[in-house]
Amino acid sequence: MGYFLTADGGTESLRARVYDLTGTCLGSIAVPYETRFSAGARAEQDPEDWWKAFVQASKGAIAEAGISPSDIEAIALATTSCTVVALDENGTALRPAIIWMDVRANREADAVLATGDQALTLNGGGRGPVSAEWMIPKALWIARNEPEIFEKAHTICEYQDFMTLRLTGERAASLNNVTLRWHYQVEQGGWAKSLVESLGLAALLEKWPQRVVPPGGVIATLSRQAAQELGLSPSVKVVQGGADALIGMIGLGVAKPGQLALITGSSHLQFGVTEQAVHAPGIWGTYRDCVYPGRYIVEGGQTSTGSIIAWLGRLMNGTMDLAELNRKAAELEPGCDGLIVQDHFQGNRTPYTDPLSRGAIVGLTLAHEPHHIFRAIMEGIGLGTRAILDAMASAGYRGTEITVGGGAGASDLWLQIHADTAGLPVCVPASRDAPSVGAAVLAAHGAGYFSSIDDGITAMVRPGKRIEPRPREMALYNEIYQRYLALYPALKNVANIGAKP
């Protein structure tokens, strides 16, 4: 029986888990770390905190699992993406890491988009957007604002790569991250050389890790120092992981063309699997070999989803009873007695890519109660997801089923609304810890137990429930959807008055 150590390095903490070959989690420990916020939408972390958290959480998870540390055969990690760190020759951070939610590099993102480089075809067919969260804008910000740090940096990489370096001593990037957020294109020979050179960043090409390893590939075994700190054997294999949401696709069992992962939380991310490139306006990006060899991942996203529910909770001054709201909302007919919500409370990521668009609740009367608004928010989010699926379909990708990970999976009502608004079956796996399960699959594959990631999914990802769309409700939502689509052009000019990105 093989045992595998995983880590889910998130925004607020790192959680280590131990899995066996059946996908059963035997031990799980989380260790928090600090994020430091400052003016200008800045958010930073100390990379040393990641390593300390990993060591502590790993020892705790192994102890909780009741196995010997010598039983661990492989390690794989899923971490936040777009968390950029500059390291010296010894692998020591020269400055705090600029984490994914830090958007100080908005001007640099505009500069990247202004190049019109071929690499930008990945994003909306060249139309964009380019996010200030991504690697190249952040590296450009460092070069412009902290030139001494940029010049001194031997390596500029991500959270995932820093952990790889500490575990193995190897400078190796994840193919997952570089295709997703570094504009790396396998079919174009790799690095976006002309893009970075046009920005005056030619030196960045040498600072990036030169070795690129796909998810599931073995990077190396543990270095002696890492093995000693972790209390593990130096023979333990370190297997490449990647961005938490994308590795979560594996943990959700989303691997076949037509399947689509809906990653839910404060926002929604839609990741579909396809056998061909899909580059068009209204699509966030399309990435070859990002997760599975020979397959593309097509991406859409909604900026505000679960965060709108949280907003409603704040307005209710702590009186929100989710169970009661769900019960009452489930008794309502689709349309909530004339209410409709535009879910652009923090702008629109796709399909409109309009940061100035704003949320709206339309059709309010004195007869409406909190549960009407609660359900209307869920419906607006579901219709926003459908708009993204329609944009994907227009570009050539048509989903056949949705698998949900994250917070929405806890609400049967929200799952049913997603099924009815999209007109597609919605699946929820037995485990909601998708990034960790995905990392465990990769570790087992890298350790040699499965010949492919797909075989690992079959053995380790357990099915849960499946919700079918209901014909009557689908027909009602088809009519409501047309009203939803009419909101954006009708409200666009009003929302943009005085609005700031």
Side-chain angles (χ1 to χ4, degrees):
M1 175 67 82
Y3 297 99
F4 313 101
L5 176 62
T6 71
D8 181 358
T11 304
E12 297 179 354
S13 66
L14 180 144
R15 180 173 291 275
R17 291 184 171 96
V18 174
Y19 288 87
D20 65 18
L21 275 170
T22 69
T24 300
C25 179
L26 306 175
S28 175
I29 296 291
V31 176
Y33 38 65
E34 181 185 6
T35 301
R36 288 169 290 281
F37 298 95
S38 58
R42 300 184 180 193
E44 299 180 336
Q45 292 174 350
D46 183 349
E48 290 300 322
D49 289 345
W50 307 333
W51 178 251
K52 292 174 184 176
F54 178 67
V55 172
Q56 182 181 343
S58 296
K59 290 180 177 179
I62 292 169
E64 186 176 281
I67 63 172
S68 168
S70 63
D71 291 330
I72 298 295
E73 296 189 38
I75 297 171
L77 284 67
T79 62
T80 60
S81 181
C82 307
T83 292
V84 176
V85 58
L87 308 174
D88 66 15
E89 291 185 356
N90 298 316
T92 302
L94 295 169
R95 67 171 328 281
I98 304 174
I99 74 168
W100 68 272
M101 66 170 64
D102 186 307
V103 291
R104 72 183 72 183
N106 58 309
R107 292 181 180 176
E108 286 72 24
D110 291 342
V112 172
L113 184 59
T115 66
D117 191 85
Q118 178 276 333
L120 301 177
T121 302
L122 292 174
N123 309 118
R127 176 185 171 189
V130 171
S131 173
E133 297 175 10
W134 297 350
M135 164 58 82
I136 294 176
K138 283 178 175 169
L140 180 58
W141 185 92
I142 295 172
R144 285 178 170 180
N145 295 276
E146 298 176 351
E148 70 288 351
I149 297 292
F150 184 83
E151 184 176 344
K152 189 175 180 180
H154 182 259
T155 304
I156 293 179
C157 59
E158 291 206 23
Y159 186 156
Q160 182 84 22
D161 315 322
F162 172 83
M163 295 298 289
T164 291
L165 183 62
R166 291 298 290 266
L167 287 165
T168 67
E170 295 281 332
R171 292 174 75 231
S174 172
L175 182 61
N176 176 263
N177 281 326
V178 299
T179 54
L180 183 69
R181 298 294 184 248
W182 300 23
H183 288 90
Y184 185 101
Q185 296 182 74
V186 174
E187 61 269 46
Q188 299 296 328
W191 302 116
K193 183 179 179 182
S194 63
L195 173 59
V196 296
E197 288 180 344
S198 68
L199 294 165
L201 276 182
L204 181 60
L205 294 168
E206 299 301 320
K207 297 178 186 292
W208 280 339
Q210 296 305 295
R211 184 181 172 201
V212 178
V213 180
V218 176
I219 301 167
T221 55
L222 286 174
S223 69
R224 289 195 174 277
Q225 181 176 345
Q228 184 176 9
E229 289 189 60
L230 291 164
L232 299 175
S233 167
S235 65
V236 171
K237 294 178 179 177
V238 178
V239 180
Q240 187 63 280
D244 45 13
L246 275 295
I247 303 307
M249 291 184 71
I250 300 171
L252 293 173
V254 175
K256 298 176 182 178
Q259 291 183 319
L260 183 135
L262 179 60
I263 310 297
T264 68
S266 297
S267 60
H268 273 22
L269 291 171
Q270 294 85 12
F271 293 111
V273 184
T274 175
E275 292 180 313
Q276 60 186 14
V278 181
H279 301 307
I283 293 175
W284 193 247
T286 306
Y287 321 106
R288 180 180 171 183
D289 299 340
C290 182
V291 181
Y292 306 106
R295 280 162 270 181
Y296 292 81
I297 303 299
V298 56
E299 180 185 11
Q302 290 160 273
T303 306
S304 301
T305 56
S307 55
I308 308 178
I309 301 292
W311 167 82
L312 179 63
R314 292 195 299 273
L315 290 188
M316 294 176 69
N317 292 319
T319 64
M320 174 183 275
D321 183 337
L322 281 174
E324 182 69 4
L325 283 175
N326 270 284
R327 185 187 67 78
K328 288 185 175 180
E331 296 172 354
L332 296 173
E333 284 285 292
C336 304
D337 296 334
L339 275 189
I340 189 164
V341 169
Q342 177 167 280
D343 54 310
H344 303 178
F345 279 52
Q346 201 70 7
N348 176 268
R349 179 177 288 177
T350 56
Y352 304 115
T353 312
D354 184 353
L356 298 182
S357 184
R358 291 295 178 260
I361 304 174
V362 177
L364 280 168
T365 71
L366 296 177
H368 286 116
E369 299 181 36
H371 64 281
H372 290 86
I373 300 173
F374 179 71
R375 178 173 178 133
I377 290 170
M378 287 185 172
E379 290 181 345
I381 293 164
L383 295 169
T385 295
R386 175 170 172 177
I388 291 168
L389 298 182
D390 284 356
M392 290 180 175
S394 296
Y397 172 79
R398 190 172 296 277
T400 56
E401 68 176 25
I402 299 169
T403 302
V404 174
S411 170
D412 289 340
L413 173 60
W414 205 348
L415 293 172
Q416 187 66 64
I417 287 172
H418 268 302
D420 294 340
T421 52
L424 294 173
V426 170
C427 305
V428 182
S431 173
R432 291 171 59 194
D433 302 320
S436 293
V437 175
V441 170
L442 293 176
H445 168 50
Y449 284 96
F450 305 112
S451 61
S452 67
I453 299 173
D454 300 80
D455 289 345
I457 289 172
T458 300
M460 298 179 71
V461 179
R462 301 174 185 173
K465 55 188 174 183
R466 181 181 175 94
I467 297 95
E468 297 290 341
R470 300 168 296 181
R472 174 180 171 275
E473 284 72 12
M474 283 175 57
L476 291 172
Y477 279 124
N478 282 338
E479 297 178 9
I480 296 167
Y481 180 55
Q482 298 308 313
R483 293 172 53 213
Y484 172 85
L485 291 178
L487 283 180
Y488 176 69
L491 296 173
K492 182 177 174 65
N493 291 334
V494 174
N496 286 353
I497 295 174
K500 296 181 179 180

